[in-house]
Amino acid sequence: MKELIESINEIVKYGLESNISELEKVQNLEKNLIIFYKLYFEFEDKFDETEYSEFDSSKFLNIEENIKSNFPTIGFYNTFIDLTKVPTTESNCALGDAFDDLLDIIKDILEIKWRLENNSYDNGIWFFKFIFKNHTKQHILGLLNYLNESESQQFI
């Protein structure tokens, strides 16, 4: 659990704080995204039937501006609609957005952390497993691919 909270804190800081002065900022983000991804496989979830109050995301007003200040060059990338589809004459290309990926990741994991701290362990882990599989995972994969390609392009 400690490793989960630490990786969450390392990722969300880029949306909660502006102009973070940190060496290897991209590498730190990438490392913690991978840790967070790995932890998905290490938790068992049990549904908590208790009715809890809902997460209020309106408390986090400056996430977009903070991401822009921390990663000013983050942008669009090419992706495919269906990676398993054999290329044909019809287009399978799509436009991805690394900024949107990071924004959605931060919002999702802020809610995971909030549920762990304010609802219950079971509710937080259940939500982690649910939101990761159905939403966050794809954003992490897109962002990691973007970071990898952006890094490799610097040396061409």
Side-chain angles (χ1 to χ4, degrees), residues 47-58:
F47 186 71
D48 182 347
E49 306 232 3
T50 307
E51 290 290 323
Y52 293 105
S53 58
E54 292 295 314
F55 175 69
D56 181 10
S57 62
S58 67

Side-chain angles (χ1 to χ4, degrees), residues 97-145:
D97 183 350
F99 175 82
D100 180 68
D101 288 334
L102 184 53
L103 177 62
D104 279 9
I105 292 164
I106 289 172
K107 287 179 176 180
D108 288 353
I109 64 179
L110 279 170
E111 184 165 356
I112 293 166
K113 183 179 178 188
W114 183 87
R115 285 172 178 258
L116 287 166
E117 293 173 344
N118 295 283
N119 290 355
S120 71
Y121 172 85
D122 286 343
N123 180 259
I125 297 302
W126 173 86
F127 186 75
F128 172 30
K129 300 285 280 189
F130 173 79
I131 200 70
F132 181 89
K133 180 179 179 183
N134 295 295
H135 187 250
T136 318
K137 180 180 183 180
Q138 190 58 46
H139 285 293
I140 290 174
L141 291 171
L143 182 55
L144 287 172
N145 193 38

